[in-house]
Amino acid sequence: MSRQWISFGTEFEKRAGYSRALRVGNQVFLSGTTGYDYATGELPESVEDQTHQILRNATRALEMAGSSLNEVVRTRIYVTDPAYFDRVVPILGVAFAAILPASTGVVSQLYNDAIKIEIEMDAIVGSAAPSS
């Protein structure tokens, strides 16, 4: 089975030796994604804005792998403060309302104090429910 490596071409991907996402067969594994805007190199300050940017970054990576947010089957959400869950749940609730992926939430320190949230996703290509 072949592998398709997805990259945004960032210096961090090269330095750390990882792919933004990896597609193997019909499975897509999205690396932990933060709220950096890769076009500008900026990280929004609020956890809400970081979450919205994560969803934009994830959408881009999943599309590069031939998938979409509608095919996400698993998320792992890491926040640096338990209070952030109440602030991001409504955003994620809207994004995933139609597909209801399995999900785990973890409070954890992240590698940069400015990063408040990081999300991993797994998707299965071809699993999206037909639009009504």
Side-chain angles (χ1 to χ4, degrees):
M1 194 171 300
S2 65
R3 291 176 173 227
Q4 177 187 1
W5 291 277
I6 308 301
S7 173
F8 286 176
T10 68
E11 184 57 38
F12 191 72
E13 289 172 347
K14 294 173 195 167
R15 205 168 20 125
Y18 77 99
S19 298
R20 172 68 39 214
L22 175 64
R23 179 174 173 172
V24 180
N26 68 340
Q27 296 182 72
V28 179
F29 306 95
L30 182 67
S31 291
T33 301
T34 62
Y36 278 100
D37 180 336
Y38 294 104
T40 65
E42 295 178 4
L43 179 69
E45 187 174 327
S46 77
V47 70
E48 295 89 350
D49 289 343
Q50 287 185 26
T51 303
H52 285 294
Q53 186 60 49
I54 286 169
L55 292 170
R56 287 190 290 274
N57 292 341
T59 296
R60 178 179 169 209
L62 290 166
E63 288 176 352
M64 291 170 71
S67 189
S68 70
L69 280 180
N70 289 332
E71 295 183 320
V72 170
V73 296
R74 180 91 168 111
T75 64
R76 290 165 207 86
I77 304 157
Y78 305 91
V79 295
T80 57
D81 183 325
Y84 290 159
F85 278 113
D86 287 337
R87 294 168 57 186
V88 302
V89 161
I91 298 165
L92 298 173
V94 169
F96 296 119
I99 59 168
L100 303 173
S103 186
T104 300
V106 178
V107 177
S108 174
Q109 182 176 356
L110 298 173
Y111 72 93
N112 177 328
D113 289 340
I115 298 171
K116 296 178 169 117
I117 183 168
E118 183 169 346
I119 303 176
E120 295 176 70
M121 298 180 198
D122 300 335
I124 298 177
V125 176
S127 69
S131 303
S132 28

